[in-house]
Amino acid sequence: MENMPLITHVILTGGVGSRLWPLSRKSQPKQYLNLFEGKSLFEMTVERNRTIADKIMVVGNIDNCHLSRQVMEKSSTPYLDIIESTPRNTAAAIAFAAFASQPDDILIVTPSDHIIDGIEPYETAIHEAVEKASKGFIVTFGIIPTKPETGYGYIERKGDDVISFREKPNKVTATDFIAKGNFLWNSGMFCFKASVLLEELKKFYPEVYEKSKIAWDSNINGNLDLDLSLEIPSISIDYAVMERSKKIKVVSSTFTWSDLGSFESVYDYLVSKGHPVDLNGNMVIGTENYTAFVGLKNTIFVYTDTANLILQKERSQDVKNIYSELERQHSDLLN
């Protein structure tokens, strides 16, 4: 009897979550905030795939690996740690995970900062993806959209074939996508055989392949050298492989999914879980202090020890402008 391929859950933990400042900081990015029923998004990501995967790899950076380690130790889950000395985007992060695997291992790659509800459709989608991956396809997960969301990329498809990947649209384009009916939200989750992903990366972006391999081959206990890492072009897996390869399939699903990329999506999620809002839809996050809103509607008040944020819910994409401004000032408030 031939060996069944091992299924590895690869968790990408590199993001900073700048649109969720001041909750999300460099020292405590959004995937580690215990905001969600006392758990962090990272912890929920580990739990969600525990029954599906044989092993876990965590690809993170030198600044946040101790936070991942705390969660993994708390649940006493064995895992392989890949620690990047500097962020090099998702193409390199995923290449490292593939180099660390056996050629026939099937990798399920997920971000660590997304929320997913509806475990049955999720598991069905994963099993379908594993089946396609074992036949040599690179599988991407598309979510059947519930509204013309402008904060997500889209996948245009025919059946399980991908016609095109689309950047985040404006409202008019997004509404058009929904009307056409064959567009899915791009969840940023993937499934593939390690060897297939590496072959495609080598074919379409040999420089990322070669430089990632050099960095990986000289890793020490999963820690990657800074100088070798800086040689790797910083590009996304979408651009390096997904938009070029002829081996892409999409699995479409209806599980509830959000990248919680903005306070608007956090607000919607917290409301669905019973977090209090006043009669005018105003919400407080981060403090039990009595807080009154006068003459305001759909306002979110975010409290932290060193910074507060007050925003109109529908302007939540603009928070990244504050983050950029504080970055220009080299402010300690980002740490």
Side-chain angles (χ1 to χ4, degrees), residues 240-272:
V241 174
M242 298 298 155
E243 292 173 14
R244 300 161 184 236
S245 171
K246 299 284 176 279
K247 295 185 175 177
I248 310 293
K249 293 281 184 193
V250 63
V251 165
S252 63
S253 189
T254 56
F255 56 83
T256 307
W257 170 87
S258 167
D259 72 352
L260 291 183
S262 67
F263 278 111
E264 182 164 17
S265 52
V266 170
Y267 177 104
D268 291 343
Y269 178 74
L270 290 175
V271 166
S272 79

Side-chain angles (χ1 to χ4, degrees), residues 225-238:
D225 179 77
L226 179 59
D227 293 335
L228 294 176
S229 299
L230 287 169
E231 297 279 306
I232 306 168
S234 178
I235 59 166
S236 72
I237 194 71
D238 299 52

Side-chain angles (χ1 to χ4, degrees), residues 52 116-127 253-255:
I52 299 160
I116 288 173
D117 277 330
I119 201 68
E120 276 179 18
Y122 177 77
E123 289 187 347
T124 304
I126 294 278
H127 290 308
S253 189
T254 56
F255 56 83

Side-chain angles (χ1 to χ4, degrees), residues 5-184:
L6 278 179
I7 296 177
T8 302
H9 178 206
V10 178
I11 309 176
L12 306 178
T13 70
V16 174
S18 59
R19 287 174 296 171
L20 293 188
W21 181 88
L23 283 183
S24 188
R25 310 276 183 113
K26 285 174 181 165
S27 61
Q28 192 82 1
K30 72 171 185 183
Q31 55 271 30
Y32 303 107
L33 300 169
N34 291 334
L35 261 190
F36 308 96
E37 295 159 17
K39 287 184 183 160
S40 68
L41 295 169
F42 177 81
E43 190 175 349
M44 289 159 79
T45 304
V46 173
E47 285 179 0
R48 181 183 312 129
N49 293 285
R50 182 171 277 149
T51 55
I52 299 160
D54 301 299
K55 53 183 185 181
I56 297 178
M57 278 184 203
V58 178
V59 186
N61 61 44
I62 199 92
D63 298 328
N64 68 15
C65 59
H66 64 286
L67 297 168
S68 303
R69 196 171 296 134
Q70 284 164 10
V71 174
M72 301 307 283
E73 283 171 2
K74 181 175 130 186
S75 65
S76 64
T77 306
Y79 71 107
L80 176 72
D81 219 354
I82 298 176
I83 301 168
E84 297 180 294
S85 49
T86 179
R88 286 335 258 163
N89 213 319
T90 50
I94 289 171
F96 296 141
F99 285 128
S101 304
Q102 295 300 315
D104 279 347
D105 287 357
I106 289 178
L107 275 48
I108 298 166
V109 179
T110 74
S112 58
D113 57 356
H114 292 184
I115 202 95
I116 288 173
D117 277 330
I119 201 68
E120 276 179 18
Y122 177 77
E123 289 187 347
T124 304
I126 294 278
H127 290 308
E128 196 182 320
V130 167
E131 195 181 328
K132 290 183 197 302
S134 61
K135 293 177 178 153
F137 293 109
I138 295 175
V139 183
T140 177
F141 292 79
I143 311 297
I144 295 169
T146 52
K147 59 175 193 241
E149 173 63 58
T150 57
Y152 301 150
Y154 284 74
I155 298 169
E156 183 185 7
R157 54 122 182 197
K158 188 175 182 190
D160 67 354
D161 290 322
V162 175
I163 299 170
S164 69
F165 288 93
R166 303 292 186 92
E167 294 296 320
K168 294 175 182 175
N170 60 29
K171 204 68 175 174
V172 176
T173 309
T175 308
D176 183 46
F177 286 171
I178 303 291
K180 286 204 169 89
N182 65 325
F183 282 81
L184 303 166

